[in-house]
Amino acid sequence: MIVRDALPADALAVAEFQTRTWDECYAGLVPDAFLRAQRVPERLARWTETLVTGARECALAEEPGSGEVTGVVSWIPGEPHWELRSLYVAAHHRGTGLAAALLLRAVGERPAQLWVFRENLRARRFYARHGFTVVPGSDHLDAATGVPEVRMSRS
Ligand SMILES: CC(C)(COP(=O)(O)OP(=O)(O)OC[C@H]1O[C@@H](n2cnc3c(N)ncnc32)[C@H](O)[C@@H]1OP(=O)(O)O)[C@@H](O)C(=O)NCCC(=O)NCCS
């Protein structure tokens, strides 16, 4: 697997990958109306802006040869914590270590924080294994989806 910086030219591939991952992982967790409203064109517009402006750092994993995207991670450096903004791995690459490689690429072993859906137990367990703990009292409703999420932090 190749892991490299994402470029503005990757915006469509990232938007398509993110849309597939949300449909697959978050059906039943995120309201259908949100999933129906957030299709490739909407995500493409946001990723294009993000990658052009550099508002977030972003890296992707791709299959050598085919160039198929198998994972995406984005983050924002900061003090004292770096912010992990998104991490997605294709279904057939979960449990392989690719997610860990992308996390390392993004925030290394630094102090870092993230938001995760409260019921996303697989992701919470993954982050816990990488040293993140839930910030007590951090439960709130994600503004975009209305879904409960919790803050996880590593120092
Ligand atoms: C979250 C994600 C990046 C983690 O990568 P991964 O390759 O699946 O992670 P791993 O398999 O290494 O670790 C997942 C942990 O959850 C466990 N797990 C697997 N399925 C589970 C489930 N349904 N419920 C709870 N735990 C589960 C695994 O056993 C493992 O725990 P362990 O290390 O203690 O054995 C990946 O699952 C993913 O892309 N999910 C979809 C998008 C997403 O939810 N992103 C996070 C947004 S904050």
Side-chain angles (χ1 to χ4, degrees):
M1 205 59 56
I2 296 167
V3 177
R4 63 167 176 84
D5 290 340
L7 306 170
D10 297 310
L12 179 59
V14 170
E16 289 175 342
F17 179 74
Q18 185 190 35
T19 306
R20 267 201 311 280
T21 308
W22 273 67
D23 287 350
E24 176 226 331
C25 296
Y26 294 153
L29 177 61
V30 169
D32 284 347
F34 183 88
L35 294 176
R36 277 198 305 272
Q38 291 298 313
R39 307 313 301 165
V40 171
E42 291 76 21
R43 296 181 187 278
L44 172 60
R46 283 206 301 278
W47 278 107
T48 300
E49 188 186 342
T50 298
L51 294 173
V52 167
T53 62
R56 294 186 204 176
E57 312 272 341
C58 182
L60 56 79
E62 63 185 10
E63 298 272 9
S66 72
E68 180 196 335
V69 174
T70 53
V72 171
V73 65
S74 70
W75 69 97
I76 300 175
E79 288 296 334
H81 289 91
W82 287 32
E83 183 76 19
L84 187 73
R85 291 303 305 269
S86 58
L87 174 60
Y88 312 108
V89 168
H92 55 295
H93 287 279
R94 292 184 200 139
T96 66
L98 179 58
L102 290 171
L103 180 68
L104 200 61
R105 168 70 172 235
V107 299
E109 295 184 345
R110 296 177 187 85
Q113 294 189 330
L114 57 95
W115 290 104
V116 59
F117 290 138
R118 192 177 65 201
E119 306 306 331
N120 190 351
L121 301 184
R122 180 168 190 153
R124 285 178 57 169
R125 187 141 167 192
F126 168 80
Y127 294 128
R129 185 147 48 78
H130 291 278
F132 291 82
T133 55
V134 171
V135 177
S138 62
D139 278 55
H140 80 158
L141 296 185
D142 172 41
T145 59
V147 174
E149 58 181 5
V150 294
R151 191 88 166 132
M152 295 187 78
S153 181
R154 179 176 76 185
S155 42

